Amino acid sequence: MKFKFDAHQEYQLQAIQAVVNLFAGQPRVEVDLSALVSGPVPAIANRLDLDETALVDNLRSVQAEGGLPPDTALQYIEETTDLVAGSSRVRFANFSVEMETGTGKTYVELRTILELHRSYGMRKFIIVVPSIAIREGILKSLQITAEHFRELYTNLPYRYYVYDSGNLSQVRQFALSNGVEIMIMTLASFNKDMNVIKQSTDRLAGATPIHLVQAARPILILDEPQNMESRKSAQALAALNPLFALRYSATHRNPYNLVHRLTPYEAYRQGLVKRIEVAGMEEVDNANLPFIELRKIVTEKNRVRASLVVHRRMANGTIREAVVTVKPGENLEGKTNRSDYAVFIVEEINPGWDEIRFSNGVTLKVGESTGHDKKAIWEAQILYTLEEHFIKQKRLHALGIKVLSLFFIDRVDNYVNPDSTLRLLFNRCFRQVAAQYPQLCLAIWAQEVVDPEVVQGSYFANRRTKAGEVVYEESITGESQLDRQAYDLIMKDKERLLSFSEPVAFIFSHSALREGWDNPNVFQICTLNQTASEVKKRQEIGRGVRLAVDQSGDRNHEERVNVLTVVANQSYQEYVSRLQTELDEEYTPTEQAPRPTNARQRGQSRLKKAYYLSSEFFGLWEAIKHKTRYLVQIDSQKLISDVVAELDKTIILPPRIEMTKVLLETREEYGFTPMQVSGAKTMIDLAGRYPLPNLVALMEELLERTAPSLRLSRKTLLEIYKRTSNQQSALNNPQEFANVTVGIIRRHLMDQLVAGIRYEKIGAWYEMTRFADPDFLESWQEYLVPAEHSLYDPVILDSDAEREFLQTLERRRDVKLYVKLPKWFTVDTPVGGYNPDWAIVIEPIDVHGQPTGEQQVYLVHETKDTTDPDKLRPDEWRRIQCGEKHFKDTLGVEFDWGPELKE
């Protein structure tokens, strides 16, 4: 097959023309042979006659045309370097083009080179890349576009080649040629003094190769320049003595003089890339092992701390993921409120090695975790990726489209050996899924039973960091001929990889393929990362967003065909959230809507002395001030029967790896919204994989550690377990069984406590003087509401419902005085302290609004926006019931609740 190219895609032409228009007014420079003898080093060089003012004017015009923020000056890189005449300052302008991955960025780069030559006679270009993968991608693009460009530019001659330190005649040709020269160089080939290009050599009659390059005044095409932002990189680029640099990326770190932008949102909306769906994998209902993930290590002065993700027991008994900070010597039991973390005492935090070590021997590096079934998650991811692969291949085979799946891993050892975990998992899952599609296997691989080893290919590179630079070195997974063939297939021969005659359809790699490599027929990307990936989500997705091609090389534009499925090792919410955060950091405007002018000002609520000293308030306080204690009775047998009856009917699911899939939709100007397209699907059942704890002791701990703390005898807890018919759930998922059972116990126990509660005075009370010391309260101005009949003015309110209720109190002619009760005024209940909202003095009036002379009514009111107990949280309703027993039954004070004050 041969790739086919469309020369008339408007979004690509706009990017090309933006760069060409930067140099409007520049005359076309023809070959000047006198330059070969006029300078110290013979070369035919690029030339730019426009001054800085003209370039800035052109830049602003281009930016205005593209709707980009205008720049007021050119952005230069300026460094001292060694030129042929000695040390000198080199200064060159930079211009950036931002195009979403998969929209033909490399095509635009190459065609821009030819347009600059056609328009202005520019002819010496160096494409600088940070990695081998990108170098191979550029070289491949030059090869497959050659025929297309010959037709488009009427056989314009141009040469392209990868710089080879063993073939320095290329460098002489680059300098002396009067044609278009395109040389591809990795940054590593010229960023060190020891590089061959910087050494004088007899092969060039004693000349230094880089001096020949400098004399040609090359135009630099920086592909993925965000990987070349260090000072060392700037010095290396300046050493080439460029005329200027054009920077191409989808993810610029520093967008020097941006001249064109195609955002991911626009590419998505216009259908220029595949639509994206995310299949999130996560462990569900599994707290059977203590989970710990080391997120980061922070050093501050003489302190070192670690940020951990743990599963913490909350006050209501549920277990949730939480981030905690620890220092050496701390025990995670206190941080998590769970005794099974007691064996995790922080022994050492080592920032040099980015790791934490616990007293029980567990050691974690940043991004690593313990306490979850990583192998099961990998298996679920691989299994689902294969299912999606075969489903799509069955649909697309008739369209002549071969489906590819890409697996990202970060530890090569997990795959490369025959007995490596991921390789064994893939082979087993492949056999399982492929067995369901014998006819498809026959059509694709010419046999119904396919050897999984035949359909795999892999590429890995050694990745190292030195002086802030990320460098990739070519590495093939082995020395066999098969390994070399796999490398050539993945990196150099896209056409063959896309052909049905080539059996490889599943590619394993790591972050080396994060930039510079993609394939239009990657339909699944599976992220099998064991540690926290340094690769951004946009970079992962970028490997497969290009629109698919068929066996004839024609691009397919059908929306239903072009869907990329990302199989993530986290929930879809987490994946989409991180993707959106990355995009927000780059695209969302930072300006926020201004807050009201007084919103963040502090204000005071003052005690009204006249009301405080009045007989009405004194009488009210004398009525409600008393403290009480409560007495309860428990019917143990009824409790056991009620709990067992509910527990028998409760479905307790086993721990499992669950998949939920969403399709990303664009929203507004910036942003993706996940639209769920599948229900939660169990991929792996984890039942029975974990040791059975002492369930009675575990339930006892849960009751005691959950607020409010409760105690039941072990005999009662054991009786509940013995009588339930749901014991298999305890074997399948002991932690969840204990959580659910304790939740049921608490509900029925609380219902019994509240139903039979009695209050009695204890001869103590709240002192009225606490209102006057101090005689004011502070709050934010936005929470203060003016009030005429309140003990305080203005009143500090917590909600809109309270605001509406206050307005009712102010309108009522029978309300003599009211007070928003302070936080320190509480009533003890079995479900925690209860702080009612209002205490009110009501003077009875007749139909004409005149006082009747009857005794004033003291009322305590709880503001809720409903009068339906079923719409309240259970503990809210229980506290209200206890409040009524305390005030009405014990103190003789009227008690009411709801959104309104009753007549």
Side-chain angles (χ1 to χ4, degrees):
M1 65 169 290
K2 287 169 53 177
F3 286 103
K4 297 178 183 177
F5 300 92
D6 182 355
H8 307 291
Q9 298 193 82
E10 185 62 28
Y11 71 94
Q12 293 179 342
L13 296 177
Q14 290 172 355
I16 296 165
Q17 198 60 43
V19 173
V20 173
N21 290 347
L22 276 172
F23 308 103
Q26 164 73 21
R28 192 177 194 284
V29 178
E30 302 300 337
V31 173
D32 183 4
L33 295 178
S34 64
L36 292 173
V37 295
S38 63
V41 175
I44 294 177
N46 289 321
R47 198 177 82 209
L48 182 61
D49 300 326
L50 300 181
D51 61 19
E52 185 166 344
T53 300
L55 282 173
V56 171
D57 288 343
N58 286 345
L59 172 65
R60 292 174 63 85
S61 177
V62 168
Q63 289 173 332
E65 179 71 20
L68 298 171
D71 288 324
T72 58
L74 300 182
Q75 290 181 280
Y76 290 95
I77 288 178
E78 186 172 1
E79 295 288 345
T80 300
T81 193
D82 176 32
L83 299 179
V84 68
S87 181
S88 180
R89 295 293 283 178
V90 170
R91 183 170 180 256
F92 62 96
N94 290 258
F95 306 98
S96 299
V97 175
E98 182 178 307
M99 293 183 67
E100 177 63 355
T101 302
T103 58
K105 174 173 60 68
T106 304
Y107 175 90
V108 167
E109 290 177 20
L110 302 181
R111 188 164 168 184
T112 299
I113 288 173
L114 301 180
E115 286 291 338
L116 289 175
H117 175 72
R118 180 160 70 177
S119 299
Y120 307 118
M122 299 172 184
R123 61 191 71 235
K124 305 298 174 68
F125 300 87
I126 297 179
I127 302 177
V128 183
V129 299
S131 73
I132 293 168
I134 298 176
R135 182 195 72 191
E136 295 294 343
I138 297 288
L139 182 60
K140 186 64 184 179
S141 293
L142 281 161
Q143 292 169 350
I144 63 180
T145 56
E147 183 178 340
H148 170 74
F149 285 148
R150 278 199 301 271
E151 294 175 357
L152 194 60
Y153 291 95
T154 59
N155 290 316
L156 169 69
Y158 62 92
R159 275 191 290 259
Y160 61 85
Y161 39 88
V162 173
Y163 165 74
D164 180 1
S165 61
N167 183 13
L168 295 180
S169 61
Q170 288 178 335
V171 179
R172 180 187 287 113
Q173 172 188 287
F174 181 84
L176 298 178
S177 169
N178 64 357
V180 177
E181 299 286 331
I182 304 172
M183 183 159 59
I184 311 167
M185 302 182 75
T186 60
L187 187 66
S189 66
F190 64 92
N191 66 350
K192 296 179 286 291
D193 290 340
M194 66 181 67
N195 290 132
V196 171
I197 198 170
K198 293 185 177 181
Q199 310 298 320
S200 61
T201 174
D202 292 340
R203 286 180 286 172
L204 294 177
T208 303
I210 200 167
H211 291 162
L212 292 170
V213 174
Q214 293 169 350
R217 298 304 312 278
I219 295 168
L220 301 186
I221 309 294
L222 306 183
D223 198 294
E224 307 299 352
Q226 67 272 15
N227 295 315
M228 307 179 229
E229 293 285 359
S230 71
R231 175 72 186 281
K232 180 182 176 183
S233 294
Q235 292 171 335
L237 296 173
L240 300 177
N241 195 27
L243 191 65
F244 56 83
L246 302 176
R247 311 169 75 93
Y248 290 84
S249 178
T251 54
H252 285 286
R253 188 188 305 173
N254 185 356
Y256 296 76
N257 292 137
L258 189 63
V259 297
H260 180 77
R261 166 174 278 176
L262 176 63
T263 70
Y265 302 109
E266 279 307 308
Y268 206 76
R269 288 191 190 98
Q270 295 178 36
L272 306 179
V273 293
K274 289 191 182 89
R275 301 181 77 195
I276 301 165
E277 59 183 19
V278 179
M281 298 285 173
E282 57 180 330
E283 276 183 291
V284 179
D285 293 338
N286 191 10
N288 294 288
L289 295 174
F291 173 81
I292 307 170
E293 177 189 331
L294 177 56
R295 180 156 290 181
K296 64 180 178 180
I297 291 176
V298 179
T299 55
E300 295 176 351
K301 296 183 180 178
N302 61 345
R303 295 190 307 168
V304 60
R305 296 173 297 146
S307 179
L308 306 175
V309 180
V310 296
H311 287 170
R312 176 196 284 166
R313 179 173 292 117
M314 312 306 289
N316 62 1
T318 60
I319 293 176
R320 294 182 183 174
E321 187 176 281
V323 178
V324 299
T325 301
V326 297
K327 58 190 178 190
E330 287 193 306
N331 191 320
L332 293 192
E333 180 179 13
K335 295 283 185 178
T336 61
N337 196 28
R338 293 178 59 187
S339 62
D340 45 357
Y341 278 87
V343 294
F344 288 94
I345 300 172
V346 181
E347 187 171 288
E348 181 182 348
I349 301 172
N350 192 320
W353 291 95
D354 278 340
E355 67 181 26
I356 186 170
R357 186 167 69 249
F358 297 96
S359 59
N360 62 351
V362 173
T363 299
L364 298 175
K365 289 188 174 294
V366 170
E368 289 185 338
S369 60
T370 183
H372 69 155
D373 200 329
K374 290 177 289 192
K375 185 176 178 181
I377 293 175
W378 287 344
E379 182 178 358
Q381 287 181 268
I382 292 171
L383 186 62
Y384 188 75
T385 302
L386 288 165
E387 289 176 354
E388 282 290 296
H389 182 103
F390 276 87
I391 289 170
K392 288 181 182 176
Q393 187 60 86
K394 185 176 181 179
R395 291 172 181 163
L396 303 182
H397 184 245
L399 299 177
I401 295 174
K402 179 183 175 181
V403 173
L404 301 176
S405 294
L406 174 62
F407 296 84
F408 273 125
I409 68 174
D410 60 2
R411 289 195 174 181
V412 179
D413 289 343
N414 286 332
Y415 173 79
V416 293
N417 300 314
D419 59 349
S420 293
T421 302
L422 292 178
R423 199 181 202 101
L424 293 175
L425 283 175
F426 176 85
N427 290 352
R428 186 171 76 243
C429 292
F430 180 86
R431 292 188 184 97
Q432 176 183 333
V433 177
Q436 303 171 36
Y437 296 90
Q439 295 306 310
L440 183 62
C441 290
L442 189 63
I444 303 298
W445 290 291
Q447 49 189 319
E448 292 186 8
V449 179
V450 183
D451 181 358
E453 290 289 341
V454 173
V455 300
Q456 301 171 60
S458 62
Y459 167 74
F460 302 99
N462 294 324
R463 181 179 183 277
R464 60 185 177 86
T465 303
K466 185 176 181 182
E469 289 297 319
V470 175
V471 179
Y472 296 101
E473 298 172 336
E474 182 174 326
S475 173
I476 303 178
T477 56
E479 299 300 327
S480 70
Q481 183 65 24
L482 287 176
D483 294 321
R484 169 58 66 179
Q485 291 173 355
Y487 171 81
D488 290 341
L489 175 67
I490 295 167
M491 302 303 296
K492 297 181 177 182
D493 201 348
K494 284 187 180 180
E495 299 98 319
R496 186 162 61 89
L497 183 58
L498 291 174
S499 170
F500 283 126
S501 62
E502 169 55 54
V504 171
F506 303 94
I507 301 167
F508 286 80
S509 188
H510 60 22
S511 55
L513 290 189
R514 67 178 181 174
E515 293 160 330
W517 184 92
D518 61 24
N519 191 293
N521 286 13
V522 169
F523 283 90
Q524 288 74 233
I525 293 178
C526 181
T527 60
L528 298 168
N529 298 329
Q530 179 170 334
T531 60
S533 174
E534 296 177 5
V535 181
K536 288 189 173 183
K537 300 307 180 191
R538 282 188 69 194
Q539 293 169 332
E540 287 179 345
I541 290 171
R543 302 317 103 215
V545 294
R546 195 178 298 277
L547 298 181
V549 298
D550 62 20
Q551 297 298 292
S552 300
D554 290 319
R555 193 79 59 184
N556 186 294
H557 294 273
E558 284 191 68
E559 186 177 280
R560 65 176 183 169
V561 168
N562 287 289
V563 178
L564 171 67
T565 304
V566 179
V567 185
N569 58 343
Q570 59 193 143
S571 70
Y572 77 82
Q573 295 97 330
E574 291 174 298
Y575 191 95
V576 175
S577 175
R578 181 170 164 188
L579 173 63
Q580 188 61 57
T581 298
E582 291 174 10
L583 294 167
D584 287 345
E585 290 172 353
E586 195 161 353
Y587 294 105
T588 303
T590 57
E591 297 82 4
Q592 301 293 326
R595 294 180 64 88
T597 55
N598 68 341
R600 290 289 88 186
Q601 295 177 358
R602 299 289 286 180
Q604 289 186 343
S605 175
R606 287 275 177 189
L607 180 70
K608 296 162 74 171
K609 292 294 179 66
Y611 276 11
Y612 174 67
L613 298 174
S614 69
S615 59
E616 285 86 358
F617 182 64
F618 182 79
L620 173 65
W621 194 249
E622 283 296 307
I624 69 173
K625 70 179 183 180
H626 300 281
K627 295 183 179 180
T628 60
R629 66 182 177 187
Y630 62 82
L631 304 174
V632 295
Q633 288 183 332
I634 299 297
D635 184 339
S636 297
Q637 290 306 311
K638 183 177 188 308
L639 176 65
I640 293 172
S641 297
D642 291 346
V643 169
V644 169
E646 183 176 347
L647 184 58
D648 287 348
K649 295 184 292 185
T650 302
I651 297 174
I652 302 174
L653 296 175
R656 59 204 179 276
I657 308 298
E658 206 168 71
M659 185 282 301
T660 306
K661 186 164 68 175
V662 296
L663 179 68
L664 300 191
E665 299 283 5
T666 53
R667 57 174 169 79
E668 302 172 356
E669 185 177 1
Y670 302 108
F672 284 114
T673 298
M675 181 180 70
Q676 189 167 334
V677 294
S678 80
K681 175 184 178 182
T682 297
M683 299 299 301
I684 304 289
D685 190 321
L686 304 176
R689 296 195 183 194
Y690 308 103
L692 187 65
N694 184 326
L695 279 172
V696 172
L698 179 57
M699 289 190 286
E700 186 178 40
E701 178 191 349
L702 284 170
L703 282 167
E704 291 181 357
R705 291 189 180 228
T706 304
S709 179
L710 299 172
R711 290 184 66 86
L712 283 182
S713 70
R714 290 197 169 193
K715 180 180 178 181
T716 299
L717 295 173
L718 181 59
E719 186 65 21
I720 291 172
Y721 175 73
K722 289 166 64 176
R723 287 172 55 179
T724 183
S725 60
N726 209 351
Q727 293 180 3
Q728 185 60 43
S729 295
L731 302 177
N732 293 341
N733 196 346
Q735 185 72 50
E736 186 67 11
F737 176 86
N739 288 340
V740 170
T741 303
V742 166
I744 295 172
I745 290 172
R746 294 184 70 86
R747 285 197 301 275
H748 288 282
L749 183 57
M750 289 300 175
D751 287 343
Q752 274 202 34
L753 293 176
V754 171
I757 197 169
R758 289 190 301 109
Y759 282 91
E760 61 181 29
K761 294 181 183 180
I762 60 174
W765 51 83
Y766 289 106
E767 295 290 346
M768 194 173 82
T769 54
R770 293 185 67 172
F771 286 96
D773 186 22
D775 64 354
F776 67 90
L777 301 172
E778 282 195 343
S779 182
W780 297 111
Q781 192 72 42
E782 58 192 301
Y783 301 137
L784 297 174
V785 179
E788 183 178 347
H789 300 297
S790 168
L791 182 67
Y792 284 94
D793 183 33
V795 180
I796 301 173
L797 299 181
D798 300 325
S799 66
D800 290 338
E802 288 186 353
R803 187 184 297 266
E804 293 176 7
F805 187 77
L806 180 144
Q807 292 168 354
T808 299
L809 294 176
E810 288 293 324
R811 289 195 299 266
R812 290 274 294 256
R813 294 183 62 181
D814 57 345
V815 173
K816 295 288 290 182
L817 177 150
Y818 61 88
V819 59
K820 182 75 165 58
L821 289 166
K823 299 296 183 185
W824 47 260
F825 185 82
T826 60
V827 176
D828 287 338
T829 82
V831 288
Y834 169 53
N835 172 225
D837 289 328
W838 308 91
I840 307 165
V841 178
I842 297 177
E843 181 180 52
I845 58 175
D846 59 23
V847 294
H848 302 292
Q850 299 301 313
T852 63
E854 298 176 62
Q855 186 176 354
Q856 291 178 336
V857 176
Y858 302 131
L859 171 67
V860 173
H861 186 93
E862 178 70 23
T863 307
K864 296 296 177 187
D865 57 7
T866 180
T867 57
D868 185 353
D870 291 337
K871 294 183 179 179
L872 299 177
R873 294 191 302 273
D875 281 354
E876 276 186 308
W877 174 231
R878 293 182 183 119
R879 278 191 285 269
I880 289 174
Q881 291 174 286
C882 291
E884 185 169 17
K885 296 284 183 71
H886 168 85
F887 288 107
K888 190 170 184 178
D889 296 354
T890 306
L891 303 186
V893 175
E894 291 297 321
F895 181 88
D896 196 12
W897 67 281
E900 298 178 347
L901 182 64
K902 295 180 181 177
E903 296 293 338

